[in-house]
Amino acid sequence: MTGKGNNSSSRLKSRFRGALIGSAVGDALGAPVEGCTMEEVSSFFGGRWELKSAHYTDDTEMMIGVAESLIERRGFDAADMACKFLRNYHAWRHYGPGTRAVLERLKAGESWEEASTKVFNGEGSYGNGAAMRIAPIGLFYYDDPDTLWEVAYKASHITHSHVLGKEGAAIQAYSVALALRGERGGMLTYLGARIKEERYRDKLAKIEQFMGMDADPGANSYKKALIEELGNGEAAFNSVPTAIYSFLRFYSFSDSVIYAVSLGGDTDTIGAMTGAISGAYYGEEAIPPEWLRALEGGMRGRRYIEWLGDELYRIKIIHDSY
Ligand code: R7I
Ligand code: MG
Ligand code: MG
């Protein structure tokens, strides 16, 4: 373990929680401005980066399903995870059209192997809907990158059968795992050793270029160039690399997540993915308490998400050590 991390069990537990709750908080921060331009985001928040809405969206609702399934099945079970997605679905959380169509097919009785392959003219989705929910898999398989990569692909397939949707989710899951292990400086090298798809190899090179630039990342011209090169959209390859960059470029949970949201575009999702990586790295204590307090409560709110993090930790770390 390197970087800011240490091995103590309470730190690790906090990082499990941090990844899940960090993702939910990033989602909720970005939700009211999803689809807005950088300028619109800036005028909406007016320099006060608060959770204007308590509610999380589909990103977190699906992440909850991934965590629930891993916990209940003590590992990956595609059919069960598909059931959890269906059971948890609420249209008002604003799902992507491809995922909605797949869930309809599942509800109508189509198998989880088939349903996702029918959308987008049979090409399957490369949207970021698989990556946005993948954090629990990054936690559960953090010490086994081969299995992590394989399971991330399989878990993506339930809704996203396009290879670029799956690879994006695997990259996001591995980033969460590396962050949990305290790997910051080596993150891009580790990712580079696994990424197969050219589209993502190009993006990785661009992240490195931006990291090496001696310029103010907050300047509008810089942000515009970043959006142009890395992207801020709903395709996995236009959002996962932006989340990784947002984590790496800054040195606190809030700076990274605020930056991700400030870029506009798919703000809830890039916020959620940045929040998952940053939360896994810094732990729950690093999340601004006012953001935690503002996040929705209730049966499936903040406390429940924290409990899911605790359960994943208990099964993975405590149970494994017996
Ligand atoms: O990936 P998905 O679940 O969407 C997630 C997004 C996040 O921003 C959430 O916050 C929520 O708002 O939705 O849903 P999909 O519809 O599968 O993918 C998202 C978008 O990516 C699609 O609506 C398309 O615009 C685009 N897309 C594709 N376009 C053409 N061909 C994804 N796959 C394809 C494709 O194969
Ligand atoms: Mg959303
Ligand atoms: Mg979104």
Side-chain angles (χ1 to χ4, degrees), residues 34 57-59 94-99 120 123-130 132 160 162 234-235 266 268-269:
E34 187 179 24
T57 74
D58 59 325
D59 305 48
H94 299 294
Y95 282 67
T99 295
F120 296 106
E123 290 189 0
S125 174
Y126 54 63
N128 53 23
M132 72 190 185
H160 290 66
H162 196 293
E234 285 190 350
D266 197 356
D268 62 334
T269 304

Side-chain angles (χ1 to χ4, degrees), residues 108-163:
E110 225 169 284
S111 76
W112 66 265
E113 288 99 332
E114 292 270 304
S116 67
T117 65
K118 307 282 177 59
V119 299
F120 296 106
N121 301 317
E123 290 189 0
S125 174
Y126 54 63
N128 53 23
M132 72 190 185
R133 67 181 187 231
I134 208 78
I137 287 173
L139 301 179
F140 204 81
Y141 299 100
Y142 83 100
D143 54 349
D144 181 358
D146 291 338
T147 310
L148 176 149
W149 206 268
E150 193 188 317
V151 171
Y153 259 63
K154 288 181 178 163
S156 301
H157 183 87
I158 301 167
T159 50
H160 290 66
S161 64
H162 196 293
V163 68

Side-chain angles (χ1 to χ4, degrees), residues 18-31 33-34 57 59-60 128 132 172 232-233 239-240 242-244 246-247 253-254 256-279 291:
L20 300 196
I21 205 77
S23 184
V25 154
D27 178 12
L29 184 73
V33 287
E34 187 179 24
T57 74
D59 305 48
T60 304
N128 53 23
M132 72 190 185
Q172 171 67 14
N232 65 352
S239 47
V240 173
T242 313
I244 294 168
S246 299
F247 163 66
F253 179 90
S254 54
S256 286
V257 172
I258 288 170
Y259 190 76
V261 170
S262 81
L263 297 170
D266 197 356
T267 47
D268 62 334
T269 304
I270 304 176
M273 295 191 297
T274 305
I277 304 170
S278 306
W291 288 1

